[in-house]
Amino acid sequence: MASLNRGNYVFFENSSSNPYLIRRIEELNKTASGNVEAKVVCFYRRRDISQSLIQLADKHAKDLEEEKESPSEPELSEKQKHQLRHRELFLSRQYESLPATHIRGKCSVALLNETESVLSYLDKEDTFFYSLVYDPTQKTLLADKGEIRVGPRFQADVPDMLQEGEADDRDQSKLEVKIWDPECPLTNKQIDQFLVVARAVGTFARALDCSSSVRQPSLHMSAAAASRDITLFHAMDTLHRHGYDLSSALSVLVPQGGPVLCRDEMEEWSSSEANLFEEALEKYGKDFNDIRQDFLPWKSLTSIIEYYYMWKTTDRYVQQKRLKAAEAESKLKQVYIPTYNKPNPNQISVSNGKMATVNGAPGPGAYHTAGGGRACESCFAMQSPQWYSWGPPNMQCRLCVSCWMYWKKYGGLKMPSRTEGTEEKTLRQSSHMVPMRNSGSPKSSMKTKQAFLLQATRLTKLARHMCRDLIRLRRAARRPFVPINCGAIKADLSVSLPRTCTHACTHTHTHTDTHTLPTAPCLLCSPYPPHHVSLPFLPSICLLRFLLLLLYYYIISFFCISPQPCFQ
């Protein structure tokens, strides 16, 4: 029996033949029927995404490897590279609810640590890593915003210390600007008095502004808004720009046109925009790029971030935090899942129709030899306490107990095999790269295809070369849905040939010569070779034509061996 808490990474089973799903528990809820459901975050394996995204992930991993300043790791063997692919996951922002009874154990998922060797993930049981975020809707991969920024690309270039008397050739416009001098001639009391005046001017400016009067209808609210940091920053900046001269700075606070009004993001945003922001924050968390893209596209990213940190200082944020804490208290914090010990339907039965295991546990001396002389598809073992059918049924592949558990947990075999490559290719081609939840079993992913042959007639072969101006084979091949004018081709061919077959069934032959040969078969429609035509009955002109046509036929037959559509 295992205890599960929120935040745990677990294996979920949605199919007896598919690998486990890897999820992170966000909430544990009790339904009206008394069952426990888990709201989880989805993780995807490499086998769940398209080949183009896998290539993008490999390129990202290669770039990270090249940017490491530490010496390169020892060369990985083919087996280690193969098994390391099974440990890589892709985080998603997708949530789903699954019954807690489908949980099959705990696992560990961590953000890829660039300072740690990748071999450390292979040494730990049920351990996975991720570095990219997968969007199953848009079919995209993005770098995780929470990556550990370690490496030379995140370090500042510290210049050498200037020698005494050496000129500073740096661009001063790109350096920091001094905005306050702590050694100013004013005392703390004088500075505080100036800030009080600035707040009073800000309150008066809000009273004169119509839009501020609507948003801050009371004097108390206007005074509170005037006491925010934006007013104090403006006052201290004004004092610094005027050389800490109080009289000069006071004259700038109230220019000739009226008092200066300074407003921050809390005042600039409307109530509807604030509600949209809270809704987006509930959905995406602190992913400000997604908040801006889906909810507030008219706001700048700087404005959204600034509003967020100001919003956290308001009473509304405190109230929402209390409500969430009270709601979390009412939810389940921990559940106990009993050990799952039901036999798997993929177990292969032995003699007398009985299973080799009882309740999933091998009995004493229950080692069985692989039936039919077939070994384990992964480790090639010949004996195992239990065998499991795996892969397409026509291939009759099987796995031992150890390799079956590896397949269920890691989504692959310990060693690469021909069957696994075929299966993964079939899985990616199905459902347009959508991860299959309740289908996609290796047994149901094989389809049979029926081949056919399209035989071209002799007339088609001749027309293909004698009517090139009308047919334009390349143009027709590039536009397969545009119909070909077969009537025009027949008409052009009837003019070019000495005799034509006007119909496929009625063999009426027209000759330009006065001699007709009713007993001679049509050269183009006859199923027999041309040498079956009786030569003594041909006159001299027809004999010459026949010999030329015979030579042309053999040339065409030699070069035209691929089947082409027949024109009716």
Side-chain angles (χ1 to χ4, degrees):
M1 180 176 292
S3 62
L4 299 175
N5 303 317
R6 288 177 294 176
N8 287 154
Y9 296 90
V10 293
F11 292 117
F12 271 92
E13 185 176 33
N14 70 332
S15 172
S16 60
S17 57
N18 285 348
Y20 293 142
L21 306 177
I22 298 179
R23 301 291 185 260
R24 185 182 68 213
I25 299 178
E26 292 294 309
E27 293 180 3
L28 292 170
N29 302 316
K30 196 170 184 179
T31 62
S33 59
N35 298 324
V36 178
E37 283 190 350
K39 181 182 178 182
V40 295
V41 178
C42 300
F43 285 83
Y44 292 90
R45 304 179 190 266
R46 292 172 66 94
R47 66 195 305 272
D48 298 328
I49 66 177
S50 63
Q51 187 64 30
S52 58
L53 293 182
I54 290 178
Q55 295 175 358
L56 184 63
D58 293 340
K59 182 178 180 300
H60 175 75
K62 185 178 180 181
D63 294 341
L64 291 180
E65 183 67 25
E66 292 176 354
E67 292 176 358
K68 285 186 178 180
E69 58 181 358
S70 58
S72 59
E73 298 178 355
E75 187 69 20
L76 300 178
S77 64
E78 290 299 325
K79 180 180 179 181
Q80 290 174 331
K81 291 180 181 179
H82 174 74
Q83 294 184 357
L84 197 61
R85 297 188 188 102
H86 300 156
R87 303 298 184 101
E88 183 179 11
L89 300 177
F90 301 96
L91 174 65
S92 74
R93 309 298 184 191
Q94 181 179 355
Y95 291 86
E96 62 182 8
S97 294
L98 296 174
T101 54
H102 289 189
I103 296 177
R104 296 295 179 261
K106 291 183 181 181
C107 60
S108 176
V109 181
L111 181 65
L112 178 61
N113 190 351
E114 300 177 10
T115 61
E116 189 176 2
S117 173
V118 291
L119 290 176
S120 61
Y121 296 101
L122 291 178
D123 298 335
K124 302 174 184 177
E125 188 74 14
D126 302 337
T127 301
F128 302 87
F129 66 89
Y130 75 95
S131 61
L132 299 175
V133 178
Y134 172 61
D135 188 346
T137 304
Q138 302 294 332
K139 301 295 187 298
T140 56
L141 278 180
L142 298 174
D144 184 42
K145 305 299 188 303
E147 62 179 335
I148 302 175
R149 300 191 172 186
V150 177
R153 54 180 177 155
F154 301 114
Q155 306 303 316
D157 296 329
V158 181
D160 297 333
M161 187 174 183
L162 297 176
Q163 301 295 332
E164 187 175 355
E166 184 180 358
D168 189 358
D169 56 353
R170 294 177 297 176
D171 188 359
Q172 300 297 323
S173 62
K174 297 182 180 180
L175 302 180
E176 293 85 357
V177 179
K178 187 177 182 179
I179 59 175
W180 182 259
D181 186 6
E183 305 294 335
C184 64
L186 298 178
T187 63
N188 292 335
K189 183 178 180 180
Q190 291 175 316
I191 296 175
D192 293 338
Q193 290 175 344
F194 182 79
L195 295 179
V196 170
V197 173
R199 293 192 190 98
V201 172
T203 305
F204 179 63
R206 283 167 175 76
L208 297 179
D209 184 66
C210 297
S211 60
S212 297
S213 300
V214 175
R215 296 180 182 179
Q216 313 289 345
S218 65
L219 178 62
H220 176 74
M221 297 176 64
S222 298
S227 300
R228 299 185 65 84
D229 291 341
I230 188 67
T231 304
L232 303 182
F233 290 160
H234 173 69
M236 298 179 71
D237 181 64
T238 303
L239 197 60
H240 176 74
R241 284 189 289 106
H242 289 79
Y244 302 97
D245 185 358
L246 292 176
S247 59
S248 177
L250 285 173
S251 62
V252 174
L253 287 180
V254 188
Q256 186 175 1
V260 177
L261 176 60
C262 301
R263 290 189 295 195
D264 55 13
E265 297 298 333
M266 288 297 297
E267 290 187 82
E268 291 290 347
W269 286 41
S270 64
S271 57
S272 59
E273 291 174 339
N275 293 332
L276 280 175
F277 174 79
E278 292 177 0
E279 181 182 351
L281 196 67
E282 183 71 22
K283 181 177 181 180
Y284 292 120
K286 293 194 296 183
D287 196 339
F288 299 115
N289 288 300
D290 290 345
I291 291 176
R292 179 176 181 269
Q293 180 178 354
D294 295 344
F295 285 85
L296 299 165
W298 59 90
K299 294 289 185 180
S300 65
L301 191 61
T302 304
S303 174
I304 294 175
I305 296 175
E306 183 178 347
Y307 179 82
Y308 168 74
Y309 286 102
M310 291 183 178
W311 173 77
K312 291 187 69 174
T313 63
T314 60
D315 294 337
R316 183 172 178 82
Y317 168 78
V318 176
Q319 293 175 1
Q320 289 189 0
K321 194 173 182 179
R322 290 175 179 173
L323 289 176
K324 287 184 178 180
E327 185 180 354
E329 286 293 330
S330 61
K331 292 183 178 180
L332 297 176
K333 300 181 182 63
Q334 187 179 46
V335 294
Y336 291 91
I337 303 298
T339 304
Y340 185 79
N341 54 9
K342 294 182 180 180
N344 192 289
N346 284 28
Q347 288 182 5
I348 300 176
S349 60
V350 294
S351 59
N352 301 327
K354 296 180 180 180
M355 289 293 188
T357 61
V358 180
N359 292 334
Y367 281 83
H368 299 276
T369 305
R374 295 189 64 93
C376 174
E377 190 70 22
S378 178
C379 66
F380 310 108
M382 297 298 296
Q383 289 187 343
S384 173
Q386 177 61 52
W387 293 97
Y388 295 85
S389 62
W390 178 84
N394 61 317
M395 301 188 70
Q396 297 182 355
C397 298
R398 60 191 66 200
L399 297 177
C400 63
V401 172
S402 174
C403 296
W404 176 257
M405 290 307 302
Y406 187 93
W407 157 256
K408 294 291 287 184
K409 288 183 177 181
Y410 303 111
L413 299 184
K414 294 181 180 179
M415 296 294 292
S417 68
R418 171 177 56 87
T419 310
E420 183 184 21
T422 304
E423 179 197 350
E424 289 186 0
K425 182 179 179 181
T426 308
L427 287 173
R428 293 193 187 103
Q429 289 176 351
S430 58
S431 301
H432 300 282
M433 312 306 176
V434 177
M436 290 177 283
R437 300 291 181 189
N438 300 318
S439 61
S441 171
K443 295 184 178 180
S444 61
S445 60
M446 300 295 292
K447 293 183 179 180
T448 58
K449 296 182 180 179
Q450 186 176 3
F452 66 93
L453 175 64
L454 185 63
Q455 182 65 39
T457 64
R458 297 170 185 172
L459 181 62
T460 303
K461 294 180 180 180
L462 287 175
R464 189 190 314 154
H465 291 270
M466 300 186 68
C467 305
R468 294 192 177 191
D469 295 338
L470 295 177
I471 298 179
R472 296 182 182 179
L473 292 178
R474 290 190 177 182
R475 183 184 182 91
R478 292 170 182 170
R479 300 177 180 179
F481 300 103
V482 178
I484 298 176
N485 191 350
C486 299
I489 295 175
K490 286 184 178 180
D492 185 73
L493 190 63
S494 63
V495 177
S496 302
L497 292 178
R499 49 186 175 177
T500 61
C501 180
T502 57
H503 197 271
C505 300
T506 306
H507 299 280
T508 304
H509 307 290
T510 304
H511 302 273
T512 56
D513 197 270
T514 56
H515 302 277
T516 60
L517 298 175
T519 60
C522 177
L523 180 63
L524 302 178
C525 301
S526 174
Y528 304 103
H531 63 267
H532 282 237
V533 181
S534 179
L535 295 179
F537 296 95
L538 293 174
S540 59
I541 299 179
C542 290
L543 179 62
L544 179 60
R545 290 177 178 175
F546 172 76
L547 292 176
L548 291 176
L549 191 59
L550 179 65
L551 177 62
Y552 188 80
Y553 167 78
Y554 277 111
I555 295 175
I556 294 302
S557 300
F558 180 78
F559 289 101
C560 303
I561 59 175
S562 61
Q564 296 292 335
C566 178
F567 304 110
Q568 299 297 327

